[in-house]
Amino acid sequence: MSIEATQATSRPTGTALLYGLLERAKQFPDAITLGRGDPDFPTPEHIRAAALEAATRGDAAPSPIEGLPALREAIAARLYAVNGIAVDPTTEIVVTQGGQEAITLAVLTALRPGDEIIVPEPTYNTFKDAIALAGARSVPVVTSVDEGFAVTAVRIGAALTERTRALLLISPNNPSAAVIPPDQVRAIAALAENRDLLVLADDTYDRFLYDGAIHLSPAALPGMKRRTLTLNTLSKTYAMTGWRVGWVAGPAELMRRLRRVKEAISGGTSVVAQHAGIAALTGPQEAVAAMHQTYIRRRSIVLDALDAMGLAYGRPLGGQFVFIDARRYGRGSLELCSRILEEAHVLVYPGVSFGEAWDGFLRMTFLQPEELLREGLRRVADVLGKLG
């Protein structure tokens, strides 16, 4: 059965649609994955060694719900050094089961049924799922490829209503790879202050910036720490996607509520994984810098290939993605991805999985070695070339 026929029968959407495509790609031995956002690098050796040592000790005591003290201290040091956010590791950090749980816990902490949250689009699927789970409503602020998917305070301000409770800021963004400029972060923070709104700030890709882009965490601004929940994860920065270690940082009152939600949902995060996290944050950082340099080279390969195909895209200023405008082919993004997968054995992700407004767009990643990246792009160009 084709992907289109499967969709017509079961109508998968969002994350379910992406996992369905990933499973479909597994039938092709020569498949090249240019959609999924998992780093293709091994977890650095010193991190693996720390996990092995922790497992070998055989200490079966569970972690505190909020995480091991040593890891929370390391996260606090990282937040101050990288993001300019000063937090108390004893009361203002909760360690999570990766970024996915961090998102869900932050949303369930910040929102109540009937609340509205401003969501610049395109946006990461899990936020929408968590907002629906909370019984709240996403209010989209649609950006455009012509403006590089820029998020502005003016557009956010126009979307505010009396039911608005929070703002979502993902910078660098997934899937658009846009970075909110510091002047706009300050203007958006002023809106939050004036309207007494919470801010959910996803900083997952803050170590991977390009073309001189500057990342500014909202909680680093005067007066904003008390109303901001900052999310992050070790998954992307340290090639630890499967280790499942992330965190939420915020004011103690909100973090007490978040801790209670985590206690009910999952309990403490794996102790072995947390010891790996301590090693990641406190140990050598050369692997992160090397990964960044590799992404810079790969990004150039992808953008050069897209330029040669004549495709428009939002210039990726951060993260690991490029969001491509393929509407000129007159096909839905799922149909287009299906054709690329079936004919070229290359997996890219359909924009429709990030919302109906993005049908006709494709998300592509840099997460393959250069030779595979070039081959995958060549195959994609062959398929698209047949479509005119």
Side-chain angles (χ1 to χ4, degrees):
M1 180 181 291
S2 70
I3 294 175
E4 298 96 294
T6 301
Q7 187 194 36
T9 302
S10 58
R11 297 294 178 188
T13 59
T15 304
L17 174 56
L18 300 185
Y19 279 111
L21 285 166
L22 190 64
E23 286 300 309
R24 178 67 172 163
K26 291 179 181 178
Q27 74 172 348
F28 303 113
D30 64 340
I32 298 174
T33 300
L34 299 181
R36 189 167 171 82
D38 296 333
D40 59 306
F41 300 92
T43 304
E45 194 279 332
H46 71 281
I47 298 174
R48 288 179 277 133
L52 180 60
E53 181 182 351
T56 303
R57 284 198 301 267
D59 182 0
S63 166
I65 300 300
E66 61 272 25
L68 296 176
L71 179 53
R72 284 181 280 128
E73 290 170 4
I75 292 168
R78 192 267 191 198
L79 282 164
Y80 187 73
V82 175
N83 305 102
I85 306 170
V87 299
D88 182 345
T90 62
T91 61
E92 296 182 327
I93 294 172
V94 170
V95 177
T96 64
Q97 312 271 8
Q100 296 292 105
E101 188 183 45
I103 290 169
T104 302
L105 294 177
V107 169
L108 293 178
T109 297
L111 301 178
R112 296 290 180 268
D115 287 344
E116 292 181 353
I117 178 170
I118 303 298
V119 179
E121 292 197 356
T123 199
Y124 186 53
N125 302 318
T126 300
F127 279 103
K128 293 182 179 179
D129 295 340
I131 291 164
L133 181 64
R137 176 174 175 263
S138 299
V139 177
V141 172
V142 178
T143 60
S144 73
V145 65
D146 296 335
E147 298 177 352
F149 302 108
V151 177
T152 67
V154 170
R155 288 181 177 171
I156 288 176
L160 298 177
T161 74
E162 63 181 14
R163 301 186 72 90
T164 305
R165 170 64 174 156
L167 312 174
L168 172 61
L169 301 178
I170 308 175
S171 182
N173 181 272
N174 177 8
S176 77
V179 174
I180 305 174
D183 65 325
Q184 289 300 315
V185 175
R186 293 186 181 95
I188 294 167
L191 283 176
E193 287 273 21
N194 292 337
R195 294 291 297 268
D196 192 24
L197 303 175
L198 297 177
V199 174
L200 275 59
D202 185 338
D203 286 359
T204 295
Y205 298 98
D206 60 3
R207 295 296 298 274
F208 301 120
L209 300 167
Y210 316 111
D211 293 350
I214 298 172
H215 170 76
L216 175 60
S217 295
L221 294 171
M224 286 299 294
K225 178 185 161 184
R226 64 188 179 90
R227 63 176 68 254
T228 304
L229 293 174
T230 302
L231 293 65
N232 213 320
T233 173
L234 302 180
S235 296
K236 311 301 183 179
T237 305
Y238 296 96
M240 293 178 66
T241 306
W243 294 79
R244 312 314 304 145
V245 183
W247 66 83
V248 182
E253 179 182 356
L254 285 176
M255 297 310 294
R256 282 194 295 270
R257 187 187 307 169
L258 189 144
R259 184 191 182 281
R260 291 196 296 270
V261 177
K262 179 171 172 56
E263 185 173 20
I265 290 176
S266 64
T269 300
S270 160
V271 170
V272 171
Q274 288 191 68
H275 280 289
I278 295 167
L281 290 171
T282 62
Q285 301 297 303
E286 287 82 1
V288 180
M291 201 182 306
H292 188 199
Q293 290 302 310
T294 300
Y295 288 157
I296 290 172
R297 294 192 300 272
R298 293 178 178 179
R299 171 178 172 271
S300 294
I301 292 171
V302 172
L303 298 189
D304 287 347
L306 295 177
D307 289 341
M309 295 181 219
L311 289 170
Y313 51 85
R315 190 165 186 84
L317 297 179
Q320 304 163 346
F321 315 103
V322 57
F323 206 51
I324 304 161
D325 185 352
R327 290 175 294 181
R328 78 184 207 192
Y329 296 106
R331 291 165 170 80
S333 58
L334 182 56
E335 179 186 351
L336 201 55
C337 287
S338 173
R339 184 158 182 170
I340 292 169
L341 181 57
E342 297 290 341
E343 296 184 15
H345 301 173
V346 176
L347 175 63
V348 295
Y349 277 171
V352 72
S353 66
F354 301 99
E356 292 295 330
W358 306 104
D359 202 10
F361 286 76
L362 307 174
R363 191 190 80 170
M364 186 179 289
T365 70
F366 322 148
L367 303 176
Q368 289 289 354
E370 291 182 19
E371 62 275 13
L372 283 180
L373 197 56
R374 293 181 191 277
E375 172 62 16
L377 289 162
R378 184 194 64 76
R379 296 185 195 176
V380 170
D382 286 346
V383 174
L384 297 182
K386 298 172 187 176
L387 300 179

XYZ file of all heavy atoms in Angstrom, residues 120 143 148-153 156 167-173 176-189 199-203 209 213-218 317-318:
312
model
N 4.181 30.670 17.337
C 4.697 30.976 15.999
C 4.842 29.695 15.178
O 5.292 28.662 15.693
C 6.055 31.608 16.280
C 5.930 32.157 17.673
C 5.066 31.162 18.402
N 4.442 32.535 10.061
C 5.567 33.241 9.459
C 5.647 32.878 7.970
O 4.854 32.068 7.483
C 6.879 32.879 10.172
O 7.082 31.458 10.062
C 6.811 33.260 11.645
N 12.186 34.593 5.793
C 13.046 33.700 6.553
C 12.397 33.140 7.799
O 13.061 32.784 8.762
N 11.050 33.062 7.784
C 10.275 32.557 8.917
C 10.533 33.381 10.179
O 10.562 32.859 11.297
C 10.564 31.081 9.167
C 10.269 30.206 7.977
C 11.296 29.644 7.227
C 8.969 29.975 7.569
C 11.034 28.861 6.111
C 8.692 29.186 6.458
C 9.720 28.630 5.731
N 10.704 34.686 10.006
C 10.995 35.574 11.129
C 9.788 35.697 12.053
O 8.648 35.824 11.606
C 11.391 36.953 10.608
N 10.067 35.668 13.347
C 9.053 35.896 14.384
C 9.217 37.325 14.888
O 10.328 37.728 15.247
C 9.237 34.901 15.548
C 8.235 35.181 16.657
C 9.104 33.467 15.046
N 8.126 38.083 14.915
C 8.216 39.475 15.351
C 7.243 39.767 16.477
O 6.187 39.140 16.592
C 7.923 40.438 14.183
O 6.540 40.311 13.800
C 8.819 40.151 12.984
N 7.604 40.751 17.278
C 6.736 41.174 18.379
C 5.420 41.747 17.854
O 4.370 41.578 18.483
C 7.458 42.207 19.240
N 3.095 38.872 17.069
C 2.653 38.240 18.313
C 1.652 39.136 19.029
O 0.605 38.676 19.504
C 3.864 37.917 19.212
C 4.646 36.736 18.615
C 3.429 37.604 20.641
C 5.903 36.382 19.361
N 3.321 32.566 25.868
C 3.935 32.661 24.548
C 4.935 31.523 24.406
O 5.658 31.201 25.354
C 4.686 33.986 24.383
C 4.006 35.281 24.783
C 4.991 36.442 24.664
C 2.784 35.524 23.905
N 4.991 30.924 23.228
C 5.988 29.903 22.937
C 7.046 30.493 22.014
O 6.726 31.048 20.960
C 5.330 28.696 22.258
C 6.288 27.623 21.718
C 7.114 27.014 22.844
C 5.519 26.550 20.956
N 8.310 30.362 22.413
C 9.429 30.823 21.593
C 10.420 29.676 21.438
O 11.017 29.228 22.421
C 10.120 32.030 22.233
C 9.246 33.273 22.475
C 10.076 34.356 23.149
C 8.657 33.789 21.164
N 10.570 29.189 20.203
C 11.544 28.139 19.893
C 12.613 28.775 19.031
O 12.362 29.131 17.875
C 10.907 26.967 19.140
C 9.671 26.438 19.875
C 11.928 25.847 18.937
C 8.920 25.355 19.107
N 13.792 28.940 19.580
C 14.857 29.624 18.836
C 16.215 29.046 19.241
O 16.550 29.085 20.434
C 14.811 31.131 19.119
O 15.781 31.829 18.382
N 16.966 28.517 18.263
C 16.627 28.267 16.875
C 15.405 27.357 16.739
O 15.192 26.469 17.563
C 17.877 27.596 16.305
C 18.988 28.074 17.187
C 18.384 28.168 18.550
N 14.653 27.597 15.672
C 13.376 26.928 15.502
C 13.528 25.558 14.843
O 14.398 25.342 14.022
C 12.459 27.815 14.645
C 11.091 27.215 14.433
O 10.872 26.451 13.494
N 10.172 27.560 15.301
N 11.915 25.373 11.083
C 12.295 26.422 10.132
C 13.760 26.844 10.220
O 14.290 27.448 9.293
C 11.418 27.661 10.321
O 11.828 28.413 11.449
N 14.425 26.558 11.349
C 15.823 26.941 11.593
C 16.009 28.447 11.707
O 17.128 28.942 11.629
C 16.754 26.365 10.533
N 14.922 29.189 11.909
C 15.023 30.631 12.138
C 15.491 30.895 13.564
O 15.206 30.123 14.483
C 13.675 31.304 11.900
N 16.215 32.002 13.735
C 16.650 32.455 15.062
C 16.024 33.825 15.305
O 16.120 34.718 14.464
C 18.189 32.552 15.144
C 18.628 33.164 16.470
C 18.809 31.165 14.963
N 15.367 33.985 16.452
C 14.736 35.263 16.762
C 15.826 36.263 17.137
O 16.578 36.032 18.090
C 13.730 35.121 17.916
C 12.694 34.036 17.584
C 13.023 36.453 18.178
C 11.745 33.722 18.730
N 15.952 37.388 16.434
C 17.002 38.363 16.744
C 16.822 38.944 18.146
O 15.694 39.039 18.654
C 16.808 39.445 15.676
C 15.998 38.807 14.600
C 15.133 37.797 15.280
N 17.923 39.321 18.792
C 17.822 39.847 20.157
C 16.858 41.017 20.315
O 16.155 41.100 21.332
C 19.268 40.262 20.471
C 20.096 39.314 19.670
C 19.336 39.122 18.392
N 16.789 41.930 19.325
C 15.876 43.063 19.475
C 14.430 42.611 19.514
O 13.607 43.180 20.253
C 16.102 44.093 18.366
C 15.773 43.555 16.982
O 15.999 42.352 16.730
O 15.287 44.339 16.139
N 14.108 41.552 18.766
C 12.740 41.034 18.793
C 12.464 40.251 20.075
O 11.352 40.294 20.602
C 12.487 40.161 17.565
C 12.403 40.931 16.266
C 11.282 41.964 16.281
O 10.155 41.688 16.705
N 11.590 43.179 15.829
N 13.471 39.540 20.587
C 13.298 38.856 21.880
C 12.970 39.892 22.965
O 12.069 39.687 23.789
C 14.546 38.048 22.255
C 14.390 37.440 23.656
C 14.811 36.942 21.234
N 13.685 41.015 22.942
C 13.427 42.071 23.938
C 12.026 42.652 23.773
O 11.315 42.896 24.771
C 14.488 43.166 23.819
C 15.888 42.710 24.210
C 16.883 43.867 24.209
N 18.215 43.406 24.565
C 19.148 43.062 23.676
N 18.895 43.169 22.366
N 20.331 42.634 24.078
N 11.610 42.868 22.540
C 10.274 43.420 22.300
C 9.186 42.429 22.701
O 8.154 42.819 23.275
C 10.129 43.805 20.823
N 9.405 41.163 22.429
C 8.435 40.133 22.832
C 8.398 40.022 24.354
O 7.319 39.859 24.961
C 8.798 38.785 22.175
C 8.628 38.888 20.656
C 7.933 37.666 22.740
C 9.260 37.736 19.896
N 9.550 40.106 24.995
C 9.594 40.084 26.468
C 8.811 41.254 27.052
O 8.122 41.101 28.070
C 11.038 40.112 26.941
N 6.288 32.726 29.480
C 7.012 32.416 28.251
C 7.588 31.015 28.378
O 8.234 30.680 29.375
C 8.143 33.429 27.988
C 8.981 33.000 26.788
C 7.572 34.821 27.772
N 7.342 30.198 27.369
C 7.993 28.892 27.253
C 9.078 29.040 26.205
O 8.783 29.287 25.027
C 6.985 27.816 26.838
C 6.168 27.154 27.952
C 5.363 28.191 28.722
C 5.250 26.074 27.390
N 10.330 28.927 26.624
C 11.473 29.164 25.744
C 12.211 27.853 25.514
O 12.801 27.289 26.441
C 12.407 30.200 26.350
N 12.178 27.369 24.279
C 12.869 26.142 23.907
C 14.216 26.519 23.300
O 14.290 27.039 22.190
C 12.020 25.359 22.903
C 12.612 23.996 22.558
O 13.831 23.812 22.741
O 11.856 23.127 22.090
N 15.293 26.217 24.042
C 16.660 26.570 23.629
C 17.450 25.378 23.108
O 18.686 25.391 23.099
C 17.418 27.169 24.823
C 17.002 28.585 25.169
O 16.130 29.131 24.473
O 17.537 29.141 26.145
N 24.680 27.769 15.811
C 24.274 29.011 15.159
C 25.166 29.270 13.954
O 26.338 28.882 13.947
C 24.373 30.181 16.140
C 23.521 30.074 17.406
C 23.943 31.124 18.421
C 22.039 30.226 17.073
N 24.442 34.643 13.558
C 23.196 34.737 14.331
C 23.506 34.716 15.831
O 24.436 34.048 16.276
C 22.259 33.590 13.978
N 22.711 35.446 16.592
C 22.875 35.539 18.047
C 21.618 35.016 18.718
O 20.500 35.442 18.398
C 23.142 36.987 18.483
C 24.443 37.499 17.863
C 23.190 37.099 20.005
C 24.678 38.981 18.079
N 21.805 34.091 19.644
C 20.679 33.564 20.416
C 20.598 34.298 21.748
O 21.597 34.424 22.462
C 20.851 32.073 20.678
C 19.868 31.525 21.664
N 18.555 31.270 21.340
C 19.987 31.229 22.985
C 17.914 30.825 22.404
N 18.767 30.788 23.418
N 19.416 34.777 22.087
C 19.177 35.422 23.375
C 18.052 34.694 24.090
O 16.929 34.613 23.588
C 18.799 36.893 23.182
C 18.410 37.676 24.447
C 19.559 37.689 25.458
C 17.980 39.098 24.090
N 18.356 34.142 25.254
C 17.337 33.453 26.051
C 16.465 34.484 26.762
O 16.995 35.372 27.447
C 18.000 32.546 27.088
O 18.720 31.506 26.457
N 15.143 34.394 26.636
C 14.272 35.384 27.283
C 14.512 35.528 28.777
O 14.468 36.637 29.317
C 12.867 34.850 26.985
C 13.022 34.068 25.728
C 14.382 33.441 25.809
N 19.540 29.622 10.211
C 20.481 30.368 11.050
C 20.863 29.610 12.314
O 21.741 30.043 13.055
C 19.889 31.731 11.412
C 19.632 32.666 10.230
C 19.035 33.975 10.719
C 20.908 32.915 9.438
N 20.210 28.489 12.556
C 20.538 27.684 13.720
C 19.945 26.299 13.592
O 19.072 26.048 12.761
